[in-house]
Amino acid sequence: MNDNDLFDHASIAPFFMAESLAVIGASSDPHKYGGRPARWARLGGFRGRVYPINPGAAQVQGMRAYPSLAAVEGTVDCAFIAVPAAAVEDAVRACAAKGVRAAIVITAGFGELGEEGRARQERIAAIARAAGMRMLGPNCMGVINFARRFYPTFLTLFRGDEDPAPASGSISLVSQSGAVGGHVYELGRARGVGFAKWITTGNQADVQVADCIAWFAQDPQTRAIMVYMEGSPDPGRLLRALRLARQAGKPVVLLKSGRSQIGGEAARSHTGALTGSDAAFDGLCAQTGVHRARTIDELVDVALATTHGRYPARAEVGMVTVSGGVGALMADYAEELGLAVPALPASAQRRLLEVFPHGSARNPVDPTALWAQDVSVFGHSLRALLDEGGHDAVVIFLSVAGTIPVLRDRILEQIVPVCEEFPGRLVVISMMGSAEVLAAWREKGFLMYEEPRRALEVVAALARFGARVVRAKALPPAPRVPGSLRVLPRGRLGEHEAMDLLERAGIPFAPRRLAVSRLAAERAAAGMGFPVVLKLASPDIAHKSDIGGVILGLTDRRAVGNAHDLVLRRARKAAPGAQLQGVLVAHQIQGGVETIIGASCDPALGPVVMFGIGGVFVEIYRDVAFRVAPISPREAREMIGDIRGYALLAGARGRAPADIQALARALSRLSVFAAANADTVRGIDINPFIVLERGRGACGVDALVEFVEK
Amino acid sequence: MNDNDLFDHASIAPFFMAESLAVIGASSDPHKYGGRPARWARLGGFRGRVYPINPGAAQVQGMRAYPSLAAVEGTVDCAFIAVPAAAVEDAVRACAAKGVRAAIVITAGFGELGEEGRARQERIAAIARAAGMRMLGPNCMGVINFARRFYPTFLTLFRGDEDPAPASGSISLVSQSGAVGGHVYELGRARGVGFAKWITTGNQADVQVADCIAWFAQDPQTRAIMVYMEGSPDPGRLLRALRLARQAGKPVVLLKSGRSQIGGEAARSHTGALTGSDAAFDGLCAQTGVHRARTIDELVDVALATTHGRYPARAEVGMVTVSGGVGALMADYAEELGLAVPALPASAQRRLLEVFPHGSARNPVDPTALWAQDVSVFGHSLRALLDEGGHDAVVIFLSVAGTIPVLRDRILEQIVPVCEEFPGRLVVISMMGSAEVLAAWREKGFLMYEEPRRALEVVAALARFGARVVRAKALPPAPRVPGSLRVLPRGRLGEHEAMDLLERAGIPFAPRRLAVSRLAAERAAAGMGFPVVLKLASPDIAHKSDIGGVILGLTDRRAVGNAHDLVLRRARKAAPGAQLQGVLVAHQIQGGVETIIGASCDPALGPVVMFGIGGVFVEIYRDVAFRVAPISPREAREMIGDIRGYALLAGARGRAPADIQALARALSRLSVFAAANADTVRGIDINPFIVLERGRGACGVDALVEFVEK
């Protein structure tokens, strides 16, 4: 199915585009939640119709009030419901009867309160569903469409009667939490972020964060998307919505809480225990080019950066600084953030050093204290970086210059004309200054951040957006999930059954054979070539090596025969009642890099694949990458590169590069298998999965497959 | 030697405490660098004497000017030298002749320009040294003592004639870079940081950052210390200065550039290659309780937090939030930062839920949207956390409340009386608001940070300062470094010589013997117990396993004898001319955790010890800890806990806990050996150093010792 087909954009539209708004529970007190939408409509100048519904008043804030929704003559596109929890159900019913297309329920006291509240919430959702009406909330803060001055929200948008209508911009925000939505709105406004749309989803009984992202993806006024979320009731939907945003070339900046509680679980190494983990969500973000912010600050600052629509073509940066010390810090940050700091061409350096002989002209360019006497150094430096340096992105650190009026104006006179010579380049300024000064410089076309590290973080984020979203080719279609891969759930499989099953799904394993006698074991070993490893085969004994049930490095037939007898003897002694199927004889793989690949059904994200470097790396360093299944080999390749241990595969310290192609193929196939059996697979671990030298392939050596019990 | 004895505090004092200041190169133009100190003295009201020196003017800015320093009648404690580079030497000479005690050279054009500049710099330093005069700079920005209104600096301290003198506070700053010093001063001022002293060291021809830290450690007005530095000309001095600050119970917040260039070198795993690394500097900070800031922002924010002098006794936090979403984020941050979030006692929770039945009273406390109608929820919540919760530190997130005058005043009325009931507790507020609003709240005794993550970072930093600095017992004296440990430098040692040498220094190694014949090898093996490992002994062959010179798991005499012959045969074939000393037979250690311990002489920090979990962990994850040698076993224990792989030693995933005592003892002894041979040791690697189960000890299995060549 096409991702777009999943979403009913037309049904979401009235939340933003309604021509008429009813306020159920409209209050004459403009400070009460129910009094605000009418007040905002009046102050902002909404051009549609507003119908206050209040059975006890003929007028509300100077507008004609209606005793009931039914009493309204015309059609009502959107209703804002601000009545006590006990009255919400009737209000929703009235909306359904009136043919309202979009109902906003701000009232709290539903699903967030537990079982009984959830039941009431499900009842109102069912009423809406039956009527073909979409519902936002309950327990949300409403919606804003800034361009249309449509404010069905109780967010404090106007403080006084004289406040102008909030400016309209290019970024849209969806926040599950109303309070976070309001906070981000205010922070953004203070930093000059112009919003296009703003929506809060609250308890998400119907409309989810994903629906809003998908709608923004097709909204022409929205050029970038901000998201705050806690969890997603339908993660497949979220994935598809983020894919739509990526396909539309719209950067998404996302903040999600719940990182650590679950992050703690990631300490346990099994794929199963890692499900629902924050690392899996990181995988989803990587997969869709989303910038996952760590703080509210970062969410706003990175979103602000998208407003210029300039995305550097390369992950590199030119820098000018009024402090050599800060220049050194900025070079540190650039390297940490993966931004190259190429030196200016020698000719350009020579020219600059004629202007400031005691400075540094390499990059970062440091004109030394001379700048305080001769601001022309800024024009020269910036031009050199944009022209000979060819930089798409330049960061200028001006320290306290913004606090000294005379100086800052003279610097502006230097750099603005240079920027005009090179339109489309990104110039980011890091300086101290009042909110007004920073706003004035933003007006001139600069991105402004006080902290130099943030300036560089933003350049790095924009370069990533450029490569992964804005200029990214359309995603390859997700791999086909053939029905033939579906298998019947059977609880936990024995090791050899697990390997056979996964081999049929296209994942390579080391040659091996189940042998039911000493002779069979010897013959199997001779047939596959020494050395071999011999393992007890028993569905009843989980930790075979603990009872001496695994013997490595057998190099001849006699050794194999003896090992066969020994292993069975040990098993009979250690677990007298256990079913013994014989021994598994397997060719022992020499060399290679031990990785772990796995799959599971994440309670939040559905089927996921996992990749890590083997053993304690996963356990201690949490160095794993996830993707929502299925993924193509190309996506798997990107995933492999996401972990720090990748260096081991790439050929660190004189090692030969590993067969990453073969690994990517196996990951993709495992993901397809997991997707085909999403409802029945509990967990798959192929550990170790050994990746040999490039061209020599990769193969699993052990496998664990567990299905849900019937 | 006592750390204090290293520093001549009395000689540094005149930079801050001078009664008289000469300005050499005093300018009538108050905007020029040479014109500023006189202007600042006048505007600020310095009560000492100021002597402008200018041969061409009878008056400077209304003050009597002197044609030369010699012409001044009285004594001159401190001189500010603002003449062109060519005239500096004469000026310094004049200072020496006049008996000036502290000379500040702001002029640039010395050591920073290369060889010739370094020579001129060394000349002026020598003049000062010979005269017993201390010199700051050259190429610095000068000094401020805020309480005494003493401003020998060209930092822009007054913008207009009516500006009040800058306030005086409790934090002192030393910055190697003048521009960073100025920037931090302005940032701090904007956030309400009051400075006690401010000094910039520039090229550090004489006075170093370390001297200033040590002086601040004994300065009664300084309660916390901020540092910006790039490198230290004498790292031993820096270590001792930081120890003095710790012993004085004064928190140090430090920002250092040069992190990444050198950090890149840390990718290589050998101790030697890691020297001079940023990881080693992190070790120095850990060792002295220093908070190493990553950004200028963090430097200022953490320093600001020390101004209350409140250091939570436990690493835990209570939280109140007006947004459940931000509450979830704050809980994430707390966990990441190592702050516990204990639940309120059940009785307190019940009481709070009577006030806000739909909220959460656990911790974070979330009164829900009710707060906007009933601000008493803040008083109740805060009291519960301080009283029944017993929290030393509480963070309150107020979102946009600070932008709404009526609301913020009512909230303040709620929380201020509660704070007064519990004096000495730390209450940190995270909210949006203008600089003026935040300043007003600071006045009320709150720490204010817009970003909630920063609020929690600050709580974590203060708790660490409390435990590691403010309430820390005096450091145990550094271990004695006996002269008997000094050995003669001999280039690179053979493996068995290396092990013997280190064993004599008290570091345990696996039983082993050098055998010069087949029979000797067999006997040695039988004597120490099987299994054994056999290794070629040759000073000429570095990578023995590459040529098959290492054979593991030998379980009887015959196997040992055969291995002896095989190894020598392989060596003769692979390296025909190599000197073969025989074979090293060693008992093969079973089990345990493989660690790597090492020592080297860091070009920046002197002798250091290193600890990491073996192999690729060091290489890929850079999971290593350093300390400047020598360290006590107690310090080694702390160092061991600093790496992430510590979990493996502590007994992760059902493993038995390892013998960390034995490891700490070995690390301490290695550090003493490294310190005893600091001038001759190039690098020591004990890899692997195997740590067995608790009570069973630890021992090295292989060692590499390299001395500098003579």
Side-chain angles (χ1 to χ4, degrees):
Chain A
M1 182 172 63
N2 184 302
D3 286 342
N4 248 317
D5 298 345
L6 189 71
F7 297 98
D8 183 359
H9 297 314
S11 73
I12 299 294
F15 287 108
F16 299 107
M17 311 305 285
E19 297 287 343
S20 49
L21 172 71
V23 181
I24 304 179
S27 171
S28 295
D29 180 349
H31 297 295
K32 289 206 167 151
Y33 290 171
R36 293 187 186 181
R39 179 169 153 82
W40 301 164
R42 187 163 45 81
L43 293 177
F46 174 54
R47 288 160 180 267
R49 290 174 304 283
V50 177
Y51 304 110
I53 313 294
N54 185 331
Q59 285 223 328
V60 162
Q61 298 182 50
M63 294 168 147
R64 177 188 164 188
Y66 296 79
S68 69
L69 190 60
V72 174
E73 308 85 7
T75 58
V76 174
D77 296 337
C78 180
F80 182 89
I81 300 178
V83 297
V88 166
E89 191 170 326
D90 281 347
V92 171
R93 218 180 289 280
C95 289
K98 178 70 184 170
V100 165
R101 297 170 62 202
I104 300 168
V105 184
I106 65 161
T107 314
F110 289 87
E112 80 277 13
L113 291 192
E115 204 45 64
E116 191 259 343
R118 265 195 295 280
R120 277 188 293 132
Q121 176 170 311
E122 188 33 51
R123 277 206 302 280
I124 60 172
I127 295 166
R129 230 177 358 251
M133 174 176 79
R134 300 305 300 262
M135 185 178 79
L136 192 66
N139 192 19
C140 76
M141 216 185 247
V143 180
I144 308 172
N145 181 340
F146 291 88
R148 297 189 64 242
R149 304 187 174 193
F150 181 55
Y151 312 113
T153 178
F154 64 90
L155 179 69
T156 307
L157 280 174
F158 296 82
R159 295 273 153 83
D161 284 0
E162 302 308 317
D163 278 13
S168 163
S170 62
I171 299 176
S172 289
L173 169 80
V174 52
S175 173
Q176 193 174 336
S177 152
V180 172
H183 186 72
V184 168
Y185 166 73
E186 285 291 343
L187 264 188
R189 234 169 51 106
R191 301 186 198 186
V193 172
F195 289 95
K197 272 92 181 176
W198 180 98
I199 188 167
T200 59
T201 57
N203 291 4
Q204 311 196 105
D206 174 29
V207 175
Q208 302 173 15
V209 164
D211 298 302
C212 303
I213 295 170
W215 197 86
F216 292 153
Q218 58 80 56
D219 172 40
Q221 267 75 54
T222 298
R223 287 168 60 197
I225 301 169
M226 288 169 92
V227 182
Y228 170 78
M229 57 180 286
E230 284 154 25
S232 179
D234 183 346
R237 214 173 168 77
L238 179 67
L239 172 67
R240 287 190 170 81
L242 291 171
R243 285 173 61 105
L244 286 174
R246 177 174 167 166
Q247 272 156 26
K250 298 184 183 181
V252 176
V253 194
L254 180 149
L255 178 65
K256 178 179 179 294
S257 61
R259 173 177 286 279
S260 59
Q261 298 99 298
I262 318 177
E265 290 178 31
R268 281 163 249 142
S269 99
H270 289 301
T271 315
L274 283 161
T275 57
S277 80
D278 203 68
F281 196 84
D282 277 340
L284 173 69
C285 292
Q287 198 161 2
T288 48
V290 167
H291 179 99
R292 185 167 181 192
R294 261 55 184 163
T295 61
I296 301 176
D297 232 16
E298 185 188 347
L299 176 72
V300 174
D301 283 344
V302 173
L304 165 63
T306 66
T307 53
H308 287 209
R310 293 176 191 172
Y311 300 93
R314 288 176 305 278
E316 62 177 42
V317 65
M319 296 179 274
V320 186
T321 172
V322 299
S323 156
V326 176
L329 286 169
M330 295 200 307
D332 287 358
Y333 300 148
E335 192 182 304
E336 283 168 29
L337 294 162
L339 292 171
V341 185
L344 273 177
S347 58
Q349 290 199 38
R350 272 195 303 274
R351 213 162 34 67
L352 287 179
L353 289 177
E354 282 167 23
V355 185
F356 40 84
H358 292 176
S360 167
R362 193 198 170 278
N363 182 21
V365 175
D366 170 17
T368 70
L370 192 65
W371 68 272
Q373 282 143 56
D374 175 8
V375 291
S376 81
V377 297
F378 293 110
H380 291 294
S381 303
L382 180 59
R383 182 175 288 105
L385 288 166
L386 295 178
D387 189 357
E388 289 103 315
H391 281 285
D392 276 355
V394 171
V395 175
I396 307 179
F397 177 71
L398 293 176
S399 185
V400 300
T403 64
I404 308 167
V406 153
L407 204 51
R408 71 177 176 242
D409 293 346
R410 281 160 53 211
I411 294 174
L412 215 47
E413 282 163 22
Q414 281 292 321
I415 59 180
V416 166
V418 180
C419 293
E420 283 164 359
E421 280 177 54
F422 298 91
R425 308 292 180 94
L426 185 73
V427 178
V428 186
I429 309 278
S430 171
M431 82 177 184
M432 282 191 71
S434 64
E436 293 71 35
V437 170
L438 299 187
W441 282 52
R442 272 194 201 104
E443 287 291 308
K444 301 275 181 193
F446 300 108
L447 287 173
M448 306 298 300
Y449 300 95
E450 186 178 87
E451 167 58 47
R453 185 179 171 101
R454 183 51 52 89
L456 286 154
E457 285 171 350
V458 150
V459 170
L462 291 176
R464 260 179 90 88
F465 278 142
R468 294 207 169 188
V469 179
V470 180
R471 285 185 302 275
K473 298 262 186 336
L475 281 173
R480 210 171 54 82
V481 177
S484 61
L485 280 176
R486 265 198 78 78
V487 294
L488 290 177
R490 284 170 301 176
R492 185 186 179 120
L493 300 192
E495 186 185 346
H496 58 287
E497 292 171 282
M499 290 196 277
D500 289 351
L501 180 68
L502 294 170
E503 202 167 55
R504 282 197 297 277
I507 298 156
F509 280 88
R512 71 213 171 272
R513 188 163 302 168
L514 183 67
V516 295
S517 70
R518 177 176 174 126
L519 185 65
E522 289 176 10
R523 281 195 181 140
M528 67 185 60
F530 295 100
V532 298
V533 53
L534 189 143
K535 300 185 212 180
L536 176 68
S538 165
D540 301 333
I541 301 175
H543 297 288
K544 299 176 174 68
S545 40
D546 290 357
I547 62 153
V550 180
I551 300 183
L552 297 161
L554 302 167
T555 52
D556 58 41
R557 282 184 70 133
R558 215 182 105 229
V560 170
N562 291 343
H564 169 272
D565 296 352
L566 180 63
V567 157
L568 289 181
R569 210 156 53 231
R570 284 173 174 167
R572 283 190 204 100
K573 192 172 162 201
Q579 183 202 342
L580 304 182
Q581 299 169 317
V583 296
L584 198 64
V585 181
H587 180 64
Q588 188 170 333
I589 304 294
Q590 315 275 322
V593 178
E594 286 197 6
T595 69
I596 169 168
I597 70 180
S600 61
C601 196
D602 187 287
L605 301 177
V608 295
V609 278
M610 187 269 265
F611 164 67
I613 297 288
V616 279
F617 294 91
V618 173
E619 181 185 348
I620 302 283
Y621 298 100
R622 303 182 189 182
D623 189 24
V624 287
F626 282 85
R627 290 294 187 272
V628 178
I631 56 171
S632 65
R634 190 182 111 187
E635 286 175 291
R637 179 64 191 73
E638 197 181 85
M639 173 189 185
I640 294 163
D642 272 359
I643 71 165
R644 288 205 280 163
Y646 173 70
L648 284 174
L649 295 165
R653 273 187 94 192
R655 284 189 194 81
D659 200 330
I660 292 167
Q661 295 270 9
L663 173 60
R665 226 162 23 231
L667 268 168
S668 171
R669 285 174 184 163
L670 178 61
S671 78
V672 172
F673 179 83
N677 298 281
D679 52 340
T680 54
V681 161
R682 178 171 281 161
I684 301 174
D685 268 308
I686 306 178
N687 180 15
F689 185 80
I690 297 179
V691 188
L692 299 167
E693 277 181 34
R694 190 186 292 162
R696 298 191 48 221
C699 66
V701 166
D702 200 344
L704 184 78
V705 176
E706 203 171 352
F707 291 95
V708 293
E709 303 286 346
K710 269 298 178 182
Chain B
M1 182 172 63
N2 184 301
D3 286 342
N4 248 315
D5 298 345
L6 189 72
F7 298 98
D8 183 358
H9 298 313
S11 74
I12 298 293
F15 286 108
F16 299 106
M17 311 305 285
E19 298 287 343
S20 49
L21 172 71
V23 181
I24 304 179
S27 171
S28 295
D29 179 348
H31 297 294
K32 289 205 167 152
Y33 291 171
R36 293 187 187 180
R39 179 170 153 81
W40 300 164
R42 185 164 47 79
L43 293 177
F46 174 55
R47 289 159 179 268
R49 291 174 303 284
V50 178
Y51 304 110
I53 313 294
N54 185 330
Q59 287 223 328
V60 162
Q61 299 182 50
M63 295 167 147
R64 176 186 164 191
Y66 296 79
S68 70
L69 191 59
V72 175
E73 309 86 8
T75 58
V76 174
D77 296 337
C78 180
F80 182 88
I81 300 177
V83 297
V88 166
E89 192 170 326
D90 280 348
V92 171
R93 218 180 289 278
C95 289
K98 179 70 184 170
V100 165
R101 297 169 62 203
I104 300 167
V105 183
I106 64 160
T107 314
F110 289 87
E112 79 278 13
L113 291 191
E115 205 44 63
E116 191 259 344
R118 265 195 295 279
R120 278 187 292 131
Q121 177 170 311
E122 189 33 51
R123 277 205 304 279
I124 59 171
I127 295 166
R129 230 175 358 250
M133 173 176 80
R134 301 304 300 261
M135 184 178 80
L136 192 67
N139 191 19
C140 75
M141 217 185 246
V143 180
I144 307 173
N145 180 339
F146 290 88
R148 296 189 65 241
R149 304 188 173 193
F150 181 54
Y151 312 112
T153 178
F154 64 90
L155 180 68
T156 307
L157 279 174
F158 297 82
R159 296 272 153 84
D161 283 0
E162 303 307 317
D163 279 13
S168 164
S170 62
I171 299 176
S172 289
L173 168 81
V174 52
S175 172
Q176 193 173 338
S177 152
V180 172
H183 186 72
V184 169
Y185 166 74
E186 285 291 344
L187 264 188
R189 233 170 50 106
R191 300 187 199 186
V193 172
F195 291 95
K197 272 92 180 176
W198 180 97
I199 188 167
T200 59
T201 57
N203 291 4
Q204 312 196 106
D206 174 29
V207 175
Q208 302 173 14
V209 164
D211 299 304
C212 303
I213 294 171
W215 197 86
F216 292 152
Q218 59 80 57
D219 172 39
Q221 268 75 54
T222 298
R223 286 168 60 197
I225 301 168
M226 289 169 91
V227 183
Y228 170 79
M229 57 179 287
E230 284 154 24
S232 178
D234 183 346
R237 215 174 168 77
L238 179 66
L239 172 66
R240 287 189 170 81
L242 292 172
R243 284 172 62 104
L244 286 174
R246 178 174 167 165
Q247 272 155 28
K250 297 184 183 181
V252 177
V253 194
L254 181 149
L255 178 66
K256 179 179 179 293
S257 61
R259 173 176 287 280
S260 59
Q261 298 98 299
I262 319 177
E265 291 178 29
R268 281 162 250 143
S269 97
H270 288 300
T271 314
L274 283 161
T275 57
S277 79
D278 203 67
F281 196 83
D282 276 340
L284 174 69
C285 292
Q287 198 161 3
T288 48
V290 167
H291 179 99
R292 186 167 180 192
R294 262 54 183 163
T295 61
I296 300 176
D297 231 16
E298 185 189 346
L299 177 72
V300 174
D301 283 344
V302 173
L304 165 63
T306 67
T307 53
H308 288 209
R310 294 177 190 170
Y311 299 93
R314 289 176 304 279
E316 61 177 42
V317 66
M319 295 179 273
V320 186
T321 171
V322 298
S323 154
V326 176
L329 286 169
M330 295 200 308
D332 287 359
Y333 300 148
E335 191 181 306
E336 284 168 29
L337 294 162
L339 292 171
V341 185
L344 273 178
S347 57
Q349 290 198 38
R350 272 195 303 275
R351 213 162 34 67
L352 286 179
L353 289 178
E354 283 167 23
V355 184
F356 39 86
H358 293 175
S360 166
R362 194 197 169 279
N363 181 21
V365 175
D366 170 17
T368 70
L370 192 65
W371 67 272
Q373 282 143 55
D374 175 10
V375 292
S376 81
V377 296
F378 294 109
H380 291 294
S381 303
L382 180 58
R383 182 175 288 104
L385 288 166
L386 295 178
D387 188 357
E388 290 103 315
H391 281 285
D392 277 354
V394 171
V395 174
I396 307 179
F397 176 72
L398 294 176
S399 185
V400 300
T403 64
I404 308 167
V406 153
L407 203 53
R408 72 176 176 241
D409 292 346
R410 281 161 52 211
I411 295 173
L412 215 46
E413 283 163 22
Q414 281 293 322
I415 58 179
V416 166
V418 180
C419 293
E420 284 165 358
E421 280 178 53
F422 297 90
R425 308 293 180 92
L426 186 72
V427 178
V428 186
I429 309 277
S430 170
M431 81 177 185
M432 282 192 72
S434 65
E436 293 70 34
V437 170
L438 299 187
W441 282 53
R442 273 194 201 104
E443 287 291 308
K444 303 273 179 193
F446 300 108
L447 287 173
M448 306 296 302
Y449 300 94
E450 186 178 87
E451 167 56 48
R453 183 178 173 100
R454 183 50 53 89
L456 286 154
E457 284 171 350
V458 151
V459 171
L462 291 176
R464 260 180 89 88
F465 277 142
R468 295 206 169 189
V469 180
V470 180
R471 285 185 302 274
K473 297 261 184 339
L475 280 174
R480 210 171 54 82
V481 177
S484 60
L485 281 175
R486 265 198 78 77
V487 294
L488 290 178
R490 284 170 300 178
R492 184 186 179 121
L493 302 192
E495 185 186 347
H496 58 286
E497 292 170 283
M499 290 197 278
D500 288 350
L501 180 69
L502 294 170
E503 202 166 53
R504 283 196 297 275
I507 298 156
F509 280 87
R512 70 214 171 274
R513 187 164 302 168
L514 183 68
V516 295
S517 70
R518 176 174 174 129
L519 186 64
E522 289 176 11
R523 283 194 181 142
M528 66 185 61
F530 295 101
V532 300
V533 52
L534 190 143
K535 299 184 213 180
L536 176 67
S538 165
D540 300 335
I541 300 174
H543 298 287
K544 298 176 175 67
S545 41
D546 291 357
I547 62 154
V550 179
I551 299 182
L552 298 161
L554 302 167
T555 52
D556 58 41
R557 282 184 69 134
R558 214 184 105 228
V560 170
N562 290 343
H564 169 271
D565 297 351
L566 180 62
V567 157
L568 289 181
R569 209 156 53 232
R570 283 173 174 168
R572 282 190 204 100
K573 192 172 162 201
Q579 183 202 343
L580 304 181
Q581 300 169 315
V583 297
L584 198 64
V585 182
H587 180 64
Q588 188 171 333
I589 304 296
Q590 315 275 322
V593 178
E594 288 199 5
T595 69
I596 169 169
I597 69 179
S600 61
C601 196
D602 188 287
L605 301 177
V608 294
V609 277
M610 188 270 265
F611 164 66
I613 297 289
V616 279
F617 294 91
V618 172
E619 181 186 348
I620 302 283
Y621 299 99
R622 302 182 188 182
D623 189 24
V624 289
F626 282 85
R627 290 292 186 273
V628 177
I631 55 170
S632 64
R634 190 182 111 188
E635 286 176 291
R637 178 65 191 71
E638 196 181 84
M639 173 189 184
I640 294 163
D642 272 359
I643 72 166
R644 288 206 279 163
Y646 172 70
L648 283 174
L649 295 165
R653 273 187 92 193
R655 284 190 194 80
D659 199 330
I660 292 167
Q661 296 269 10
L663 173 60
R665 228 164 18 234
L667 268 167
S668 170
R669 285 173 184 163
L670 179 61
S671 78
V672 172
F673 179 82
N677 298 282
D679 51 339
T680 54
V681 161
R682 178 170 281 160
I684 301 175
D685 269 309
I686 307 178
N687 180 16
F689 185 81
I690 297 179
V691 188
L692 298 167
E693 278 181 35
R694 190 187 291 163
R696 297 192 47 222
C699 65
V701 166
D702 200 345
L704 184 78
V705 177
E706 203 170 353
F707 291 95
V708 294
E709 303 287 345
K710 269 298 180 182

